[in-house]
Amino acid sequence: MIDFADDEQPLLPPPPRTVRDTGLEPGLLAQLVGKALLGAGKCHLSLLTGRLKLSINVLRELLDGLQAEQLVEVAWRGDSDIDIQYQLTGIGRQRAVEWLERSPYAGPAPVPLDAWRAQLQRQAVQLPPVLAGDVAAVFGDDCLPPRIHELVGAAMHAGRSLCVYGPSGSGKSTLARKLGRLLQGVVALPYAVAVGSSIIQLYDAAVHLAPPPLPGRPSSARGGDMRWLLCQRPVVQLGAELDAPLLELRLDAAGGCHIAPPQLKACHGLLIFDDLGRQRMPASALLNRLATLLDAGTDQLSLPGGHTFSVPCQPVLAFVTNLAPHTLLDGAALRRIGYKVGLGPLPEAAYRNLLRQQCRARGIEADEAALAYLVGELHRGSGQPLLASLPREIVARVAEFAGFAGTVPRLNPATLDQAWSSIFADGVA
C-alpha cells in the first residue's frame, strides 16, 4: 500500500532563473543547446525547453549569448515573446558538429553532483517509514508465519539490509519483490548528474516509474526544476547476470555519458540480489564491494582518469539465496547484513489456506477431500515439503489440463495426480 499524499511528496528544487542558478558551466549548457539545434534544424523555444529541461529564462540567456557569437539566429517569430523559432548559422553548425564529436551527449541538462547529494540527504528524513499496518496490507494473504512478517517489517522500518534464505520454492523471491510495495512516498530524481566534465545518466524508464495521479490535487512537481522528476520509490532486481563491472559506472560511448549502476538507480528504494551464490560475482566479493554502502550508507565510484567521488546512496538491500548463508559468507560479512529471514515449509493449515486462495483466484472449488489427498498422499507419500510456491503451480496445471481437454477444472485425486506428475520427475521438482 503506497500513500501519495501531497504532504509526503518531496518538492522538486526550485527552477533556475539564470544560467548561474543551474550550477553548471555556461559552456556546457551552450553546447547542449547547439547540439539540440543541430539535430532539430529550426526549433521552437518550447521544444528546446522540453528537450533540455531548462526554463525559458535560462534558454533565452543562452540563446542571446549564442546569437552574440553569431552561432544562432532567429528563424521565425510569432506574435508573442515565446512564439519564436531558432536555428544555427553556418558557423554555428560547424561549431555544433565539433561539440558533438567531442561529446555526443544531447539529452536533458544535468544537475551538479552537490545538488543531487543535498536532495538525497533531504529525502532520507522526509520519506515515511514502514509500519505494521503496511506489512499487514501487503503480506496479509501470503500465509507466512507472523514471525516472518515481523522480521521483514522491522528491517524495512529501519532501512536495514536483509538476507532471505531457504529451499527452492519456499517463496523467497516472491517475498523479496513484495518488499517494494512497502515503500511509501515518492522521490525526486535528476535525469542526469554532472561530475566535473562527465555526465552520468541516472534516469531509467524501466525503473523510475511515474507516481499515479492524485485526482483533484495539484502536482508538487509543478513549477519545479524540470531537470528533476518525481517517481515511485524504485525497485531494482539483479540475478545471475551480476558481475563486478555491473556495479560500476558504465561508459556509453554512443550516448556521450556514463550509465549509473543499479545501486544509484535504486536510491531510496529497494535493490534485490536474487540467487546469491549462483551469480558470476562471488558472494564474498559482492559484500566487500558493498561494504561502505552497508556500513555508512554511501557508495564510492570512479570515473576515467582516477576521479573518485561518493554518493549518499541508501537503498534497502535484499539478498536472496537457497544456500545456507554461513556457507557463502564469513561471520564478518554476515554481520554486515542487518536481518536474516529464513523461510521453510509451511505449516499444514497455512498450506491448505494458500491452496484455497489459489482455487478462488481460478474459480475452482476447493474440495476438502482433494486437499486432504494432496497433503496426506502426494506430499507425505513422496516426502515433498509443503512449500509456498506449490499451490499456485498445482492449481494452475489443473486449470491448464482442463482447458486443453475442454472440461471444467476440478480438484480431485485424478487431476491432482496429473498436475503432480507434470511438476515432479521421480519425486524431484
Side-chain angles (χ1 to χ4, degrees):
M1 179 178 67
I2 301 180
D3 183 2
F4 291 100
D6 276 345
D7 59 0
E8 290 181 351
Q9 290 191 5
L11 293 174
L12 299 183
R17 297 182 181 276
T18 66
V19 169
R20 183 174 181 178
D21 290 344
T22 67
L24 299 172
E25 290 294 327
L28 169 62
L29 294 174
Q31 290 180 26
L32 287 176
V33 173
K35 287 184 282 189
L37 288 173
L38 182 65
K42 294 179 182 179
C43 192
H44 199 279
L45 183 60
S46 60
L47 184 60
L48 279 176
T49 298
R51 287 188 177 182
L52 300 179
K53 308 300 180 186
L54 293 170
S55 69
I56 286 178
N57 286 340
V58 171
L59 277 174
R60 277 177 168 164
E61 183 181 342
L62 292 167
L63 288 162
D64 287 347
L66 290 168
Q67 282 183 279
E69 295 182 51
Q70 299 184 345
L71 301 178
V72 166
E73 62 188 4
V74 174
W76 178 86
R77 191 185 299 274
D79 295 332
S80 69
D81 289 343
I82 61 173
D83 192 10
I84 185 169
Q85 292 181 352
Y86 292 90
Q87 65 184 11
L88 293 169
T89 63
I91 298 173
R93 282 192 293 274
Q94 293 176 9
R95 188 75 58 84
V97 168
E98 294 172 3
W99 290 336
L100 196 63
E101 289 174 348
R102 286 203 298 266
S103 173
Y105 182 79
V111 304
L113 175 61
D114 286 344
W116 184 38
R117 284 174 174 155
Q119 183 72 6
L120 286 171
Q121 290 168 343
R122 281 193 296 270
Q123 288 180 165
V125 297
Q126 290 176 341
L127 292 168
V130 173
L131 301 175
D134 305 318
V135 175
V138 172
F139 292 94
D141 62 352
D142 64 4
C143 298
L144 291 173
R147 66 175 182 83
I148 300 297
H149 295 168
E150 292 167 358
L151 281 169
V152 299
M156 297 298 288
H157 174 83
R160 300 183 67 181
S161 58
L162 63 163
C163 177
V164 183
Y165 64 96
S168 178
S170 58
K172 304 179 301 299
S173 295
T174 300
L175 182 149
R177 286 191 294 270
K178 279 188 172 183
L179 295 177
R181 292 163 54 188
L182 295 173
L183 298 175
Q184 301 186 40
V186 296
V187 292
L189 176 92
Y191 286 94
V193 177
V195 182
S197 60
S198 298
I199 294 176
I200 299 171
Q201 180 179 308
L202 194 62
Y203 172 68
D204 184 336
V207 171
H208 301 116
L209 307 179
L214 293 169
R217 294 187 180 184
S219 169
S220 64
R222 187 175 297 169
D225 188 340
M226 291 184 294
R227 294 177 294 170
W228 300 75
L229 73 159
L230 291 180
C231 65
Q232 299 178 39
R233 296 176 70 177
V235 177
V236 179
Q237 182 168 347
L238 302 175
E241 77 280 6
L242 176 62
D243 56 13
L246 190 63
L247 298 177
E248 308 302 332
L249 294 169
R250 177 174 61 84
L251 177 62
D252 177 8
C257 62
H258 292 80
I259 306 299
Q263 65 272 25
L264 293 194
K265 294 181 181 181
C267 275
H268 293 313
L270 174 68
L271 179 55
I272 302 170
F273 296 93
D274 206 0
D275 230 5
L276 186 69
R278 301 186 186 279
Q279 298 156 325
R280 299 176 185 176
M281 188 176 190
S284 57
L286 174 62
L287 267 289
N288 286 336
R289 169 62 183 84
L290 299 175
T292 59
L293 192 56
L294 289 164
D295 296 343
T298 62
D299 194 38
Q300 300 281 339
L301 293 161
S302 297
L303 286 163
H307 177 64
T308 300
F309 63 98
S310 64
V311 175
C313 179
Q314 296 179 333
V316 174
L317 304 182
F319 302 92
V320 182
T321 182
N322 59 8
L323 304 174
H326 69 270
T327 65
L328 294 173
L329 302 166
D330 60 24
L334 281 174
R335 284 192 294 274
R336 281 201 167 105
I337 301 176
Y339 282 73
K340 287 77 176 177
V341 183
L343 299 185
L346 294 174
E348 183 175 329
Y351 187 81
R352 286 178 178 243
N353 282 337
L354 202 52
L355 275 162
R356 295 186 189 101
Q357 286 180 17
Q358 294 300 321
C359 286
R360 284 196 298 272
R362 294 269 182 175
I364 300 173
E365 182 182 354
D367 182 81
E368 293 301 319
L371 266 60
Y373 174 78
L374 173 63
V375 173
E377 297 295 328
L378 295 180
H379 274 285
R380 289 179 186 157
S382 66
Q384 283 291 339
L386 304 177
L387 298 175
S389 65
L390 289 177
R392 181 189 295 272
E393 280 295 322
I394 290 169
V395 174
R397 292 175 194 232
V398 167
E400 289 161 6
F401 277 115
F404 171 71
T407 60
V408 176
R410 301 184 187 281
L411 223 61
N412 56 48
T415 59
L416 287 172
D417 282 339
Q418 189 178 42
W420 187 270
S421 65
S422 73
I423 298 172
F424 300 103
D426 297 327
V428 179

